[in-house]
Amino acid sequence: MAAQSMGYKVVVLDPGLQSPAGSVADRHIAADYLDPAGLRELAAIASAVTTEFENVPAAALEFLAQSARVTPSASSVAIAQDRIEEKSFLAGSGVTVAPYAVLTSVQEARSVDPALLPGIVKSARLGYDGKGQARVSSQDEVEAAFVALGSRRCVIERLLDLDCEVSVIVARNERGETATWPVAENLHRDGILDVSIVPARVPEALANQARATATRVASALDYCGVLCVEMFVTHGDRLLVNEIAPRPHNSGHYTIDACVTSQFEQQARVLAGLPLGDTQPHGPAVMLNLLGDIWFADAGSTIPREPDWTAVLRHSRAKLHLYGKAEPRRGRKMGHVTCLGASIDEALATARAIKRDLAIPGVDEL
Ligand SMILES: Nc1ncnc2c1ncn2[C@@H]1O[C@H](COP(=O)(O)OP(=O)(O)O)[C@@H](O)[C@H]1O
Ligand SMILES: [Mg+2]
């Protein structure tokens, strides 16, 4: 939609027949990411290609790069797709990561360094929203978790005592120019992003360090496009990089309503070889995720019904975004609301009211 408002025609390749992006695009190619005919059709039309989903196979991007500008590159995406590659890249580029080890066999799992316990075992590939993870506190549990995750390559990280979680969206273009948005403070529920508060309530020096770290990561990757760098804050002021996402990110959705240039417009600008847009915020924002759970009246119900959106729209500074996903499921991200305000407290008050009205848990934690 951002690219279309700048005058570009957009074609979406998405295997789903009911594709949210496909339904607003000028054309939807419903084909698997590796389907040769689908890829050839896309290659014949598109002069520039990006990905909104990090598990698009690198081979698809490499094929498209023969005839189109592809950002981010297949090699950047490949690093972000694999936690082992990601961790060794991050550690090698001079940023701090949580203490971790790679697990490739039951033997390695069984004999893991006790200094990493208690810890979290994370599958190397295809994890998201806390899926593909298990918390462990003994070597036996590490072994059990490794097996439960399919005996496939994993990492184990020490469980850190987090003060908070923050993220920075950074854009970098082919000329190596970079821009970052204000730092988002991210609150999770059951491993899924619940709320982002912007600007993050952290000291200015730490916020500056977070933005510098994100820029450093993007430059080290020679990255082209929009990148999210998720970070942990521990011991008041220690910053560790958790993971990176090679695309516009949920914690950057607030930029649509709260910044001069959104992460999506910036993605289109990089793709088109244009100069970067200004990332200045208009003011504070609180982004609230809308999960499929609120389509169900109570814990026992199986038939979804549309939530009452007047609970959101009666607030004059709340911006509702629904993605048009066909099927609401518990834990599935269906949309979000950006609450604007003169202060963070004002935006938080709106977010609390909406949470209460839509029966989203965790009103008191806000
Ligand atoms: N080493 C850790 N210590 C403490 N909490 C963690 C650690 N790793 C992950 N978490 C928690 O789990 C959430 C999801 O983990 P993450 O690695 O970001 O995976 P995902 O791909 O699911 O987002 C994090 O946002 C954080 O709340
Ligand atoms: Mg994460």
Side-chain angles (χ1 to χ4, degrees), residues 40-247:
R40 272 199 305 273
E41 191 181 346
L42 181 59
I45 308 170
S47 34
V49 179
T50 190
T51 155
E52 278 285 290
F53 167 62
E54 67 207 65
N55 292 315
V56 171
L61 300 178
E62 279 156 11
F63 173 79
L64 294 164
Q66 293 168 17
S67 60
R69 179 203 301 251
V70 175
T71 64
S73 68
S75 58
S76 293
V77 173
I79 289 172
Q81 278 174 349
D82 188 298
R83 281 192 200 274
I84 299 174
E85 300 288 327
E86 181 181 63
K87 291 253 185 255
S88 67
F89 159 76
L90 288 169
S93 61
V95 301
T96 314
V97 298
Y100 78 99
V102 173
L103 305 177
T104 59
S105 67
V106 172
Q107 284 72 14
E108 280 173 356
R110 200 182 293 149
S111 57
V112 72
D113 181 353
L116 293 173
L117 298 172
I120 305 187
V121 178
K122 303 179 178 180
S123 65
R125 300 187 76 85
L126 300 175
Y128 71 101
D129 287 348
K131 294 181 180 66
Q133 298 191 3
R135 296 197 173 201
V136 289
S137 49
S138 67
Q139 288 177 321
D140 285 349
E141 284 179 20
V142 177
E143 179 180 344
F146 179 78
V147 172
L149 291 171
S151 300
R152 281 187 275 266
R153 297 154 65 250
C154 289
V155 299
I156 176 168
E157 268 174 53
R158 197 166 73 215
L159 187 67
L160 302 170
D161 185 13
L162 308 180
D163 293 333
C164 68
E165 296 186 52
V166 298
S167 61
V168 173
I169 313 291
V170 53
R172 188 170 179 279
N173 68 14
E174 276 178 354
R175 277 164 279 181
E177 293 158 350
T178 58
T180 56
W181 281 265
V183 180
E185 174 184 343
N186 300 323
L187 312 182
H188 296 81
R189 171 169 299 281
D190 302 329
I192 306 175
L193 183 65
D194 180 29
V195 168
S196 292
I197 299 168
V198 191
R201 296 165 297 179
V202 298
E204 200 183 327
L206 191 69
N208 291 339
Q209 195 194 337
R211 292 173 85 153
T213 299
T215 305
R216 178 174 186 162
V217 169
S219 299
L221 264 178
D222 196 18
Y223 193 82
C224 230
V226 171
L227 177 76
C228 175
V229 181
E230 291 183 28
M231 296 171 239
F232 295 143
V233 180
T234 64
H235 301 96
D237 63 350
R238 245 170 74 83
L239 204 57
L240 297 99
V241 175
N242 172 28
E243 59 171 353
I244 58 176
R247 52 179 167 78

Side-chain angles (χ1 to χ4, degrees), residues 129 192-193 289-299 301-307 309 322-323 325-336 358-361:
D129 287 348
I192 306 175
L193 183 65
N289 264 339
L290 302 174
L291 302 184
D293 304 63
I294 64 172
W295 267 252
F296 299 91
D298 51 62
S301 53
T302 50
I303 299 164
R305 46 109 185 90
E306 193 76 13
W309 299 124
L322 295 172
Y323 310 147
K325 293 183 182 176
E327 190 199 343
R329 285 197 296 266
R330 292 176 206 276
R332 188 178 202 198
K333 291 171 177 172
M334 302 297 292
H336 71 272
L358 291 178
I360 302 172

Side-chain angles (χ1 to χ4, degrees), residues 82 144 148 206 228 250-251 267-268 279 287 354:
D82 188 298
L206 191 69
C228 175
N250 194 174
S251 65
Q267 181 82 311
T279 54
M287 192 279 320
I354 293 171

